[in-house]
Amino acid sequence: GAVVSQHPSRVICKSGTSVKIECRSLDFQATTMFWYRQFPKQSLMLMATSNEGSKATYEQGVEKDKFLINHASLTLSTLTVTSAHPEDSSFYICSASQMADTQYFGPGTRLTVL
Amino acid sequence: GQQLNQSPQSMFIQEGEDVSMNCTSSSIFNTWLWYKQDPGEGPVLLIALYKAGELTSNGRLTAQFGITRKDSFLNISASIPSDVGIYFCAGSYNTNAGKSTFGDGTTLTVKP
């Protein structure tokens, strides 16, 4: 139980394009989903918290117009990196929570912006 | 904000040895979680602790929620090569919108 999927697992795009990443909870309804960014050999950096049907709450320093988050249902959240640039290249990981405080992570998406 | 100190940063051990890592916080938590991350993958939940003093096992793994609610440890017994990876602790407090604070990770290398 508590399986979270992410799609795509890898994406390469040209600078200036937008990329959408999907996060799905497959066998449970997630009251909250989280989006993280991870740089090599570093810990997880929380970008935003989203609840179904409401606007995402972004962490300080994360541009909400750059990283658009939509939480359309209790099983799906999407992160869109708009007008991507090489500095946006990173490993993006989502997590989903059903029970308070316990997060289950997706497998991650490797974004490379050329 | 809340900060976690996770130690050690890295460990190099022989197969069969036991491993111990811990996390300490300046603030109390209601939940302690331990995750393992393999390269290029998302973290996988190993053990969740919800009560101060709780001691929980998952196979060769044992974790405890410190009685002060400010620390937790994870032990791995009789390590095997597939234990290699990065282990993260995470603490959360239920008034923080479900957000967790993560340690910087412990990188474990197991020599056969």
Side-chain angles (χ1 to χ4, degrees), chain A residues 39-79:
Chain A
F39 293 102
K41 299 187 186 298
Q42 293 190 19
S43 189
L44 302 160
M45 184 185 80
L46 180 65
M47 298 174 67
T49 304
S50 76
N51 293 288
E52 183 258 344
S54 61
K55 289 184 180 179
T57 301
Y58 290 81
E59 294 299 300
Q60 190 173 6
V62 178
E63 299 175 58
K64 61 180 181 181
D65 295 329
K66 173 76 171 175
F67 300 99
L68 299 178
I69 292 172
N70 183 279
H71 195 153
S73 74
L74 284 172
T75 59
L76 173 64
S77 176
T78 60
L79 168 68

Side-chain angles (χ1 to χ4, degrees), chain A residues 4-7 20-25 30-35 48-54 56 58 68-80 94-96:
Chain A
V4 178
S5 70
Q6 261 181 262
H7 178 79
K20 181 185 284 188
I21 303 170
E22 290 188 351
C23 177
R24 292 180 186 272
S25 56
T31 52
T32 308
M33 287 186 169
F34 303 85
W35 287 96
T49 304
S50 76
N51 293 288
E52 183 258 344
S54 61
Y58 290 81
L68 299 178
I69 292 172
N70 183 279
H71 195 153
S73 74
L74 284 172
T75 59
L76 173 64
S77 176
T78 60
L79 168 68
T80 301
C94 73
S95 71

Side-chain angles (χ1 to χ4, degrees), chain A residues 38 43 59 101-103 106-107, chain B residues 33 35 37 42-43 50 92 99 103:
Chain A
Q38 188 177 36
S43 189
E59 294 299 300
D101 305 334
T102 302
Q103 296 180 37
Chain B
L33 305 165
Y35 294 90
Q37 186 177 27
Y50 300 109
S92 63
K99 293 194 290 188

Side-chain angles (χ1 to χ4, degrees), chain B residues 92-108:
Chain B
S92 63
Y93 194 76
N94 61 12
T95 61
N96 199 23
K99 293 194 290 188
S100 294
T101 302
F102 285 82
D104 289 336
T106 295
T107 301
L108 178 64

